[in-house]
Each structure stands twice: as structure tokens, then as C-alpha cells.
Amino acid sequence: MYERVDMAELFEQSAQKMREQGLSEVAIAQFERLYHEWQENDATSWIREEDVERLDNVPSFHDVYETIDHDQAVKAFAKTAFLKLNGGLGTSMGLDCAKSLLPVRRHKARQMRFIDIILGQVMVARRRLGVELPLTLMNSFRTSADTMKVLAHTPKFTQHGIPVEIIQHREPKIEIATGLPVSYPQNPELEWCPPGHGDLFSTIWESGLLDELDARGFKYLFISNSDNLGARPSQTLAQHFENTGAPMMIEVARRTHADRKGGHLVFNKVTHRLELREMSQVHPDDRYDAMNIKKHPYFNTNNIWVRIDALRDMLAKYNGVLPLPVIRNKKTVDPTNPDSTPVMQLETAMGAAVSLFEGATCVLVDRMRFLPVKTTDDLFIMRSDRFHLTDLYEMEDGNYIFPNVSLDPRYYKNIHDFDERFPYSIPSVAAANSVTIEGDWTFGRDVSFYGDAKLTDNGKPSYVPNGEYVGPQGIEPDEWL
């Protein structure tokens, strides 16, 4: 893109900006690797179809459950620490605080947020199994204060010796036209972005967390996203991971039609290792094969198990900066203003580290361990009568096969608009195959969806009265034929 002689000078301006903000040399070294990869190889490094094979014979959670010694499993679980990625603000839903502070549903009359459910899962596991199960949150510079305030006001959650928080790095957004760090005086905070969840590894390295865990006898680290309430601690998977002897294990789930454009696990014929292939790494000629869910049936849940000693050795080998593939995100400096300066955000994916570990493996899990909330469509299901939040703080459903939900983004994408249009509760979806809402609809109490429920746009704000049923033809008529 730019002349090589200029590249060092261009990057130095980003490095200087990072130093002025107090960022470490590890953070700067990591960003320098991403920056040079972007400059020198602007085209994505393809993972070609001819170089990979489909994954076969992945052991399932059910098979594992039947074969392990459950008494022994508690011992493996006692050597496991829990780490949650908690750096997201939920800006796609209009949030200006940590997404984990978003209310999900009530439990015994108490409004429960993601963070409350996570803390509940940890405390119940500690009490029932008699294990320490330390919890560490990887917060961002934008989520730390809000999240730590919640922990301070949760007196039943205590932890000593292991930090409850590490802070992920941040990096400058780069102006695409110049290669320089972008300037946005209207809101200087928007000049910065997180480096993706692959930043976890350099953050862990710099924090000294692995040394602290090792010194206290912990052997395994279970990592997952805070917005995935299915990723709860599991003694069964802890024992299975120990039995494999693998340095890393990724929980995968079967792809459906809705997952066909997401990252999937393959076996690389060149390196003879597992590899996470994101769609940005798929050559246009290979898209049909990559999206074929029968040919490549497994996707990455981002629930990852890793041996603490293996990760520490790998990070030492690379001085804390793992050579992960670069993900290029073209955006505007103000995501809400498409006319603001075009920028490049350079990121890495945590799961991509699987290709670095000889002998890494994966395990097939049910959808009960993959319940992410990325949009208000997802939140609609989580708050509906499809789920019950148990006393073990587990989100339970009968079969985890949910109706397809499509809410008009003009009126439901923003969480405040969403809440305003469901002032009482989410309508019942127990009998619904799909839910489609077009236009501006507000819902009364005790509304029920059934079949392929659909409401069309009336061109004006509309209301579904209390107790009504909504089906394929809209609101059911109340007159006799």
C-alpha cells in the first residue's frame, strides 16, 4: 500500500500515540505486527479449499459423559480456572455500558444481568463441588469501571490471590487514506478500538496471570465470552480435556443454515493441524464449499480450554505476541455516522491460536453451550418463555431449537426502542415456528405468537392488545364466523 521506507515512520506515529496513553511495549509490539501485516499483505491470506480437509469423528459431549469417571472429574475441575471475555460495549444494540450489564431475565423476582448469571454459575459450582474456581474477567478500558462496581456490590462473591480483572489493550483506528492514526476531536474516545479477542493472549502474558494460577496448582483455563450464557463451567469437559492430554481444546457445534457464513474448523493438510477458517480467509472461488455445512459441519463456539503450562510456553516463545492471522475491519471512525472518516480496525481471533498447538483437539457440544446474544433478536429469545433460569443459574430449554426471529431494525435494533415496545414482557413463543415483525408495533400483556407469526407494517405506530394471538395472518380476528 505505502512505500516501505515510509512504513516505519507511519507506524511510529501510532506507537507514539499509544505511549502517550500509557500503553505497554507488548501492546505496541502486537499492534506493530498487525500494522505491518496489513501494509505488506493487504489482500487476505487465503486458506484454500484444496489445502484443507473436513473434520471427522469429533467426540461428542454425550459420548464423553458416558465414559468419564465423574468422581475423578471433580478433581480435574478443581484444577480449572474460569476466564470471561468482557470487553464488549454492545454498541450494536445502542448500549453505552458493558454488554454484560444488560438485563436478561428475572430469577425469583430479581432482574438478572449477564454478569449476575455468570457470578451465580461460579458461586453455585464452588459451593456444590467444593472447588475454588477462580473467575477472571478480561475487561476493556470502557467496561472496567461499570463491571467492577457490580462485583463490589456482590458480597457473596469473594476471591483472594487470583485477580478478578485483567485489562485488554487498545489500539488506534487507522485512517485508510493515510495509514496514520485517525484524529476525531469531537470524541477522542472513538479514535481507539480493541484489538479483537485474540488480544487475550498478550494481555494474559503481560498480567502474570498464568504464573499466579500455576503457583496455586491450577492446570487448566476455560475461556469464553460473557455474552454466551451457555458457556458455563463443566466438570465433564474438564475431565475430558485432562484425559486428552491436548494443549488446547475448542468446543464446536454443528453448523446450521444460519451459521453457514461463520468461522468453521478445518484440518490443514499442509500443517497437519486444526485451523479456524473465518469467511474473510475464504477465496471467492471456495465460498460455495466453505458454506457447505455438510462438507464443513463444525463451527467455533469460542469456548476454549487450554493447558496453562502449554500456553505459557507458547507465549514465551513469541515474547507474548502470538502470530495470529490479521482480521481487517473497514469502518468509519464514528460507527453511527457513515460520513465520518473511513478507518481500518486491525484484530485477531482467539480461536485462531489452535493452529499453533501441536495436538490441539475439539469436542462437539450441543447448542445448550452456545447461547450468544449479539442482537436484540437474540435477546428476544433469551427473555421469552422458551427459557427458564434455574437455581443453578443455567439457561434451560427443552430442545434448544428456537424460532427464527426477525425484528424490524428501524424500531427494535436499539435496546431502548426494544424495551419501549415490550413494556410488560416478551410475548409467548412456545408455539411459534418463526416471528417476523415489520413496522412499529408495541405489545400489551400476555400476547402469544404461534406458527409463522407475522405482523406487517401499517405505516404508523400500531398496538397488539392484551391477550391477543398473532399468527401467519397477523392478529387473530375476534369475531365469530
Side-chain angles (χ1 to χ4, degrees):
M1 289 181 63
Y2 307 105
E3 293 294 331
R4 182 178 295 272
V5 69
D6 296 330
M7 202 180 303
E9 297 177 9
L10 286 172
F11 177 76
E12 183 53 35
Q13 297 201 39
S14 291
Q16 184 58 34
K17 183 170 183 172
M18 295 175 78
R19 290 189 184 101
E20 290 170 358
Q21 290 292 311
L23 287 160
S24 67
E25 291 304 313
V26 171
I28 294 169
Q30 175 175 250
F31 186 55
E32 183 175 21
R33 193 190 76 80
L34 302 183
Y35 188 91
H36 284 294
E37 180 69 19
W38 168 55
Q39 295 281 24
E40 296 174 356
N41 184 17
D42 189 38
T44 301
S45 298
W46 309 121
I47 299 176
R48 294 305 306 264
E49 186 68 23
E50 63 193 25
D51 294 329
V52 302
E53 295 176 353
R54 63 169 282 156
L55 253 58
D56 278 315
N57 302 318
V58 176
S60 76
F61 178 88
H62 298 287
D63 295 337
V64 167
Y65 187 84
E66 295 297 327
T67 58
I68 68 165
D69 182 330
H70 293 278
D71 293 329
Q72 194 70 19
V74 177
K75 296 179 181 179
F77 194 52
K79 294 180 279 188
T80 301
F82 198 26
L83 193 150
K84 279 285 187 179
L85 308 183
N86 192 53
L89 278 181
T91 52
S92 62
M93 291 190 281
L95 287 169
D96 55 6
C97 63
K99 188 199 286 189
S100 60
L101 302 190
L102 181 66
V104 181
R105 61 187 307 113
R106 291 187 180 277
H107 178 66
K108 296 181 177 177
R110 181 185 169 196
Q111 190 71 269
M112 302 294 290
R113 301 160 294 187
F114 286 91
I115 189 67
D116 299 316
I117 296 172
I118 292 166
L119 293 175
Q121 290 174 349
V122 170
M123 289 187 288
V124 166
R126 288 175 176 178
R127 185 175 68 248
R128 288 178 65 237
L129 300 174
V131 297
E132 186 174 348
L133 189 60
L135 169 67
T136 300
L137 301 170
M138 185 175 81
N139 289 323
S140 69
F141 60 99
R142 290 176 176 166
T143 64
S144 175
D146 287 341
T147 303
M148 296 307 289
K149 189 181 298 183
V150 171
L151 268 62
H153 288 86
T154 308
K156 291 184 179 180
F157 176 81
T158 58
Q159 187 163 299
H160 306 286
I162 304 297
V164 295
E165 176 188 52
I166 57 176
I167 303 292
Q168 72 177 95
H169 299 124
R170 59 176 178 168
E171 65 187 25
K173 297 177 183 177
I174 299 299
E175 187 175 345
I176 292 175
T178 65
L180 295 171
V182 72
S183 176
Y184 197 62
Q186 302 96 307
N187 187 350
E189 279 294 302
L190 293 179
E191 298 174 5
W192 298 87
C193 63
H197 43 66
D199 176 62
L200 163 79
F201 299 113
S202 60
T203 300
I204 284 179
W205 171 255
E206 205 169 16
S207 71
L209 176 64
L210 298 179
D211 290 329
E212 292 185 48
L213 290 172
D214 181 66
R216 294 175 65 109
F218 292 97
K219 303 297 181 185
Y220 314 115
L221 189 60
F222 173 52
I223 309 164
S224 59
N225 295 332
S226 66
D227 65 3
N228 177 11
L229 294 177
R232 52 188 183 256
S234 168
Q235 63 204 72
T236 299
L237 289 173
Q239 182 61 61
H240 174 63
F241 182 46
E242 182 171 82
N243 290 347
T244 66
M248 177 179 277
M249 179 175 78
I250 293 183
E251 295 181 30
V252 298
R254 289 199 180 275
R255 295 169 84 193
T256 66
H257 183 73
D259 308 309
R260 69 193 187 284
K261 295 182 180 179
H264 50 282
L265 272 292
V266 295
F267 182 78
N268 192 304
K269 292 190 288 188
V270 178
T271 64
H272 303 290
R273 293 181 181 178
L274 285 177
E275 192 161 38
L276 173 62
R277 181 168 67 166
E278 302 286 356
M279 288 306 293
S280 61
Q281 296 170 294
V282 174
H283 189 278
D285 293 345
D286 296 332
R287 284 185 67 83
Y288 176 82
D289 287 312
M291 292 170 62
N292 185 334
I293 63 176
K294 292 184 178 179
K295 185 170 187 179
H296 297 295
Y298 304 115
F299 73 87
N300 170 31
T301 66
N302 226 34
N303 300 343
I304 295 177
W305 299 75
V306 64
R307 288 183 62 98
I308 289 170
D309 57 356
L311 178 57
R312 186 173 55 185
D313 290 347
M314 184 66 70
L315 285 165
K317 177 180 178 181
Y318 291 104
N319 295 316
V321 180
L322 299 184
L324 304 178
V326 179
I327 299 170
R328 302 157 175 84
N329 278 332
K330 294 182 180 179
K331 298 191 176 184
T332 54
V333 64
D334 181 351
T336 65
N337 181 6
D339 297 323
S340 60
T341 306
V343 295
M344 183 67 71
Q345 295 182 197
L346 302 174
E347 303 177 5
T348 58
M350 177 173 70
V354 71
S355 64
L356 302 177
F357 288 94
E358 185 75 38
T361 188
C362 50
V363 61
L364 176 63
V365 296
D366 292 337
R367 288 282 171 145
M368 63 185 294
R369 291 191 61 80
F370 184 67
L371 302 172
V373 176
K374 303 299 183 185
T375 66
T376 50
D377 290 4
D378 300 327
L379 186 64
F380 179 94
I381 292 291
M382 285 285 188
R383 289 183 176 177
S384 77
D385 59 356
R386 285 301 304 265
F387 277 107
H388 169 63
L389 182 58
T390 73
D391 286 345
L392 301 180
Y393 296 92
E394 297 175 347
M395 296 286 287
E396 286 203 347
D397 175 65
N399 59 12
Y400 298 91
I401 301 173
F402 308 114
N404 295 317
V405 175
S406 176
L407 309 179
D408 194 320
R410 295 174 296 171
Y411 306 106
Y412 301 93
K413 180 179 180 180
N414 183 288
I415 186 63
H416 305 293
D417 295 337
F418 177 92
D419 287 340
E420 187 176 271
R421 285 161 176 78
F422 299 106
Y424 301 108
S425 63
I426 298 297
S428 172
V429 295
N433 178 59
S434 65
V435 174
T436 303
I437 302 176
E438 298 170 352
D440 185 359
W441 290 86
T442 297
F443 294 81
R445 295 180 186 272
D446 303 322
V447 173
S448 297
F449 289 119
Y450 69 92
D452 291 309
K454 184 172 184 178
L455 291 168
T456 56
D457 191 350
N458 288 334
K460 61 181 180 180
S462 305
Y463 180 63
V464 180
N466 295 347
E468 293 289 354
Y469 288 82
V470 180
Q473 306 304 315
I475 302 174
E476 279 191 347
D478 58 4
E479 70 272 8
W480 291 95
L481 293 177

